[in-house]
Amino acid sequence: MDRRSFLRISGAVPVAGLAGWPPPDDWGRLRKRLAGPLYRPGDPGYPEAKQGFFTMYDDRVPAAVVGAARVEDVQAAVGFAARHGLPIAARSGGHSYPGYSTVDGGIVVDLSRFSGIDVLAHGRVAIGAGARLGPIAAALAARGRVLPAGSCETVGIAGVALGGGLGLLDRKHGLTCDHLEAARIVTADGRVRTVSRTAEPDLFWALRGGGGGNFGIVTGFTFSTVPIADVVTYKLTFPTGTQAALLAGWQDWLPGMPDELWSGVNIGAAAAETSGTFLGPEARLKPLLDDLVRRVGTPPAGREAVVRDHLSAMRSFDDHESRPGTAAVRAAYVGTSRMLLRPVRDPAAVVEVLTRAPRVGTLIDSAGGAIARVGARETAFPHRSALASFQFLHGATPDDGGEAEARRALAAVRDGLGPEFGTTGYVNYLDPEMPDWAQAYYGVNLPRLRAVARHYDPHGVFAFPQGLPAPRSTVHIGAT
């Protein structure tokens, strides 16, 4: 049994790998090879360097954080981890729901210095893997362009794109991964590869929805973009007690809507509202919303529609405005997900499940449109025909009952839904307790994804609890 497997099974992951391992001289040699900093336990700056977005994982103690400043630093970190049997994980935005980018006893490769955003000719953009969505949107807007992606400004582009990339423009323009043209990645053998449709196409296919951390460490992307446009944002708030009617009306209304309309629903014990975006004139949106109100059967208590510039519209939907822990730069909450595969037969029964745990928040995002016009096997993202995604969130502070209680409440909701949801989930909302997680996240693409992982990481250098690479075996790559 290799060292990493023993530590995982025994639960005895110490502060710096195995006690006294790797030897201090090896760490010293690694430090000299790096252009960026190396933070080890006890070093100034280490407590801050090891932190991700979620405070629940602050007790984890990585053996080192590599503040990568160049691709060669990533290569050095990968080679070191491979030789010494240490777990290794990349960190872009640090928003991994299970905290997989903060590894006990392993190496965190901090990519925040790879934050360049270079707008190229012909509507293309080169983006470093450490860039965040907010700066990306601002840089592109200044050039009259948009990359379809999420609205939470602090989330990193790498996780978004590698998992698929749901967002407020995806019914019109597709997922973030649909705009990926090329990626630069350091694979388990320490090589730097630039992949595209014509260069190592299987790996490129896997990076378009196959999840972060599975095939190597991506350091940069090239995307296509779309022209910027003003956006109409809308919000309809219905009286309490209309949750089932809203869900029923919305799911029947959505498939007939034009691609230009994206719509979300918020359902809770005291919440029944829908909000969204429309890429067109407000006058054209009005009859579409009138149709939804007619289907719900109850006039909304509040109704608004506002024409905004693109950046203002995206910021009005910043995910942190509707998530627990919004008052702080960092937060404590956990999440899970399901994909709605077809309209539910009994909306009232679904609403009962969604509202039985008052601390669980439910965010429903529309799918369809351009997403569904890409085949399930054309990219690694499998849920092309879904009607919507359901994200469930629960605070994980002591006042919320802590992380364990939060996960119990989420599981009751996740597993209590009907057959219309299948055993599905969105890989960017990773849940460590998701039943049959690999099938849920990857569906029909799972066999091919595992084959790609075996090819590029045969020794499991990038293995993690919900990763596609097989568990690590002994490997030797180059010199220290």
Side-chain angles (χ1 to χ4, degrees):
M1 181 182 296
D2 64 274
R3 178 182 297 105
R4 185 182 181 190
S5 298
F6 170 78
L7 294 174
R8 184 188 301 120
I9 293 169
S10 68
V13 179
V15 167
L18 200 63
W21 182 266
D25 287 351
D26 286 7
W27 288 112
R29 283 191 286 270
L30 174 62
R31 193 185 299 271
K32 289 178 181 178
R33 292 185 60 187
L34 301 175
L38 175 68
Y39 298 100
R40 297 265 290 129
D43 289 348
Y46 172 84
E48 295 77 21
K50 77 183 184 74
Q51 289 180 351
F53 176 75
F54 293 108
T55 60
M56 306 93 68
Y57 310 120
D58 285 352
D59 60 344
R60 297 185 181 176
V61 185
V65 178
V66 172
R70 57 181 184 175
V71 175
E72 290 83 355
D73 290 357
V74 179
Q75 291 177 280
V78 170
F80 189 90
R83 285 189 301 277
H84 294 295
L86 297 176
I88 183 169
R91 175 183 292 160
S92 176
H95 285 69
S96 168
Y97 279 1
Y100 289 147
S101 58
T102 305
V103 285
D104 259 331
I107 296 177
V108 173
V109 179
D110 176 8
L111 296 169
S112 61
R113 293 164 180 79
F114 287 77
S115 57
I117 304 162
D118 187 9
V119 183
L120 309 172
H122 309 297
R124 298 162 68 244
V125 60
I127 302 176
R132 310 289 179 96
L133 297 188
I136 293 170
L140 286 172
R143 301 288 293 273
R145 307 298 296 184
V146 171
L147 173 64
S151 59
C152 178
E153 297 196 13
T154 62
V155 167
I157 184 61
V160 170
L162 295 174
L166 303 178
L168 277 62
L169 306 178
D170 51 18
R171 279 176 49 84
K172 175 64 176 178
H173 296 298
L175 304 176
T176 309
C177 72
D178 296 334
H179 293 264
L180 183 62
E181 294 190 349
R184 184 179 59 190
I185 181 172
V186 177
T187 47
D189 57 5
R191 289 181 55 188
V192 180
R193 306 168 190 263
T194 299
V195 301
S196 66
R197 285 183 176 85
T198 56
E200 304 194 66
D202 282 349
L203 180 53
F204 178 70
W205 171 87
L207 295 180
R208 299 173 71 199
N214 278 318
F215 310 101
I217 297 180
V218 178
T219 63
F221 304 88
T222 302
F223 295 99
S224 62
T225 64
V226 299
I228 202 167
D230 285 347
V231 180
V232 183
T233 64
Y234 81 85
K235 184 175 183 178
L236 302 178
T237 303
F238 291 90
T240 300
T242 61
Q243 288 91 334
L246 172 58
L247 179 58
W250 183 83
Q251 68 175 4
D252 291 338
W253 168 79
L254 180 62
M257 291 300 100
D259 292 356
E260 288 79 9
L261 185 139
W262 173 90
S263 180
V265 177
N266 179 17
I267 289 178
E273 62 184 35
T274 175
S275 56
T277 61
F278 185 69
L279 297 171
E282 185 179 355
R284 187 176 168 215
L285 174 62
K286 183 180 183 303
L288 303 180
L289 297 182
D290 291 343
D291 183 25
L292 175 58
V293 171
R294 178 184 62 80
R295 292 171 187 266
V296 174
T298 300
R303 175 169 175 164
E304 65 179 40
V306 181
V307 179
R308 307 175 191 261
D309 65 82
H310 173 81
L311 279 181
S312 296
M314 296 305 104
R315 287 167 179 163
S316 73
F317 284 90
D318 190 324
D319 292 350
H320 286 95
E321 292 185 4
S322 57
R323 289 182 174 179
T326 60
V329 175
R330 304 176 66 224
Y333 60 86
V334 294
T336 190
S337 62
R338 288 293 190 200
M339 307 297 293
L340 179 61
L341 303 179
R342 59 185 184 275
V344 296
R345 294 183 180 181
D346 189 349
V350 171
V351 169
E352 192 280 324
V353 173
L354 299 182
T355 57
R356 65 172 54 151
R359 290 182 180 270
V360 174
T362 301
L363 302 177
I364 306 169
D365 294 338
S366 61
I371 301 171
R373 285 192 287 276
V374 177
R377 291 181 170 86
E378 289 185 49
T379 69
F381 180 84
H383 306 300
R384 294 288 180 172
S385 61
L387 180 64
S389 65
F390 278 53
Q391 182 179 191
F392 310 108
L393 301 168
H394 194 297
T397 66
D399 289 344
D400 299 308
E403 183 182 355
E405 176 56 35
R407 294 203 183 280
R408 280 193 292 270
L410 288 176
V413 175
R414 179 198 65 213
D415 299 338
L417 299 169
E420 298 90 350
F421 294 84
T423 53
T424 59
Y426 178 36
V427 70
N428 278 354
Y429 305 150
L430 277 172
D431 171 3
E433 299 177 3
M434 172 71 78
D436 197 9
W437 60 266
Q439 186 64 38
Y441 295 136
Y442 302 115
V444 297
N445 294 323
L446 179 59
R448 184 178 176 187
L449 284 166
R450 281 187 164 149
V452 174
R454 283 194 302 270
H455 178 76
Y456 285 96
D457 189 7
H459 303 290
V461 171
F462 294 106
F464 63 97
Q466 287 183 298
L468 292 171
R472 181 191 291 271
S473 60
T474 303
V475 59
H476 300 283
I477 300 177
T480 301

